[in-house]
Amino acid sequence: NDVVSGMSGGQRQAVAIARTRLSMPKIVLMDEPTAAVSVAQVPVILEYIKNFLKYSLVAITAILILCVLIFGYYPVRDTILLNPTKKLLDKEWFTSQYGSPPIELSTPLILERVIDSIDLNKFQMGTFEDNFYLSLDFKDVVQNENSVNLDLIKNGLINEFQILGSKNILVKDDQFTVKSGDTALRLYGSLDIEFNNDLYRSNFTSIILPYDKKTIKLIIVYRDEDRYANDIESRILESFDIIKEL
């Protein structure tokens, strides 16, 4: 029946722990819980801590099992481990316009302008070594350039990848229709990215669209076995649009 303020430090510590046990909190932060406590009270406090940890572990395990049954193993695992591409896929996306003529894209991060020169503008998300990389180029078309030279375009893309440290580059091509209805060239395939003396097998897609005295080039690169990157890529490509009237 003593007033807490009149108790010793050890007694106050014991009262605080007793109150914690009665309130059954979800989280308990303890800083030296047995400090200043009498020797006789130490086993009681340690037993409480042990029981609290045991029941907390049971509760956490039950919650994790329930989440796995509802959402599946990999989404739960990758959420806990903060998988970088799952974070990109799940976060709020942004729809923005870039360059001239304006290209509208929906992306998990706003692209940064990395080159701004007279004949070339380049925007980028991430770096080439990241799990997911995107770049968007606007390059002036030279008057004497052929409108379509597939081999030249392929070799230019391969050379760009090689400069960035890629090897074993395999390229395929087909057509791609952007949201506006315009038809573009799509180059896609696989490559090995060398980083810290390791090779990472990756996939890439490049959309190349000549329009209004410009060549617009979108490049997306991601790891081959990434289970979320393909969904990110599809969502970005579905949003690709030329804004023809402002």
Side-chain angles (χ1 to χ4, degrees), residues 40-219:
Q41 292 175 325
V42 169
V44 177
I45 294 174
L46 293 179
E47 182 66 20
Y48 163 69
I49 295 173
K50 184 174 72 173
N51 290 334
F52 179 84
L53 293 175
K54 181 176 68 176
Y55 290 119
S56 297
L57 182 60
V58 170
I60 292 172
T61 302
I63 292 171
L64 287 176
I65 292 173
L66 181 62
C67 289
V68 168
L69 292 175
I70 296 174
F71 303 107
Y73 169 72
Y74 287 111
V76 173
R77 187 199 70 173
D78 294 337
T79 298
I80 294 173
L81 298 180
L82 302 177
N83 180 285
T85 47
K86 189 176 190 306
K87 288 174 63 179
L88 289 177
L89 182 62
D90 291 344
K91 73 185 299 295
E92 180 183 359
W93 283 43
F94 305 91
T95 299
S96 305
Q97 296 178 8
Y98 304 93
S100 179
I103 294 296
E104 185 172 276
L105 282 180
S106 293
T107 54
L109 299 172
I110 295 176
L111 310 188
E112 297 182 6
R113 186 191 298 269
V114 293
I115 298 178
D116 186 9
S117 64
I118 295 176
D119 62 343
L120 175 64
N121 288 292
K122 182 170 185 175
F123 302 84
Q124 190 169 292
M125 186 184 86
T127 67
F128 199 66
E129 293 81 13
D130 287 341
N131 288 359
F132 194 95
Y133 166 80
L134 181 151
S135 69
L136 179 64
D137 298 0
F138 297 80
K139 185 178 180 182
D140 288 347
V141 176
V142 179
Q143 291 183 354
N144 61 3
E145 285 184 346
N146 294 327
S147 57
V148 176
N149 187 327
L150 184 56
D151 289 336
L152 185 62
I153 292 173
K154 280 185 177 180
N155 290 333
L157 183 64
I158 291 172
N159 182 63
E160 183 174 350
F161 284 151
Q162 288 175 335
I163 292 173
L164 292 170
S166 298
K167 300 178 179 179
N168 306 319
I169 305 168
L170 302 176
V171 184
K172 300 178 182 179
D173 64 88
D174 62 10
Q175 290 186 334
F176 177 83
T177 302
V178 302
K179 198 173 180 180
S180 62
D182 295 271
T183 300
L185 172 66
R186 177 171 67 169
L187 301 178
Y188 63 99
S190 58
L191 48 78
D192 289 325
I193 298 175
E194 186 173 9
F195 181 58
N196 290 337
N197 297 320
D198 290 323
L199 291 178
Y200 297 90
R201 196 63 184 167
S202 303
N203 299 324
F204 71 86
T205 296
S206 179
I207 306 299
I208 300 171
L209 177 63
Y211 186 84
D212 194 21
K213 299 181 181 181
K214 295 275 189 179
T215 297
I216 303 165
K217 179 172 63 177
L218 172 70
I219 295 177

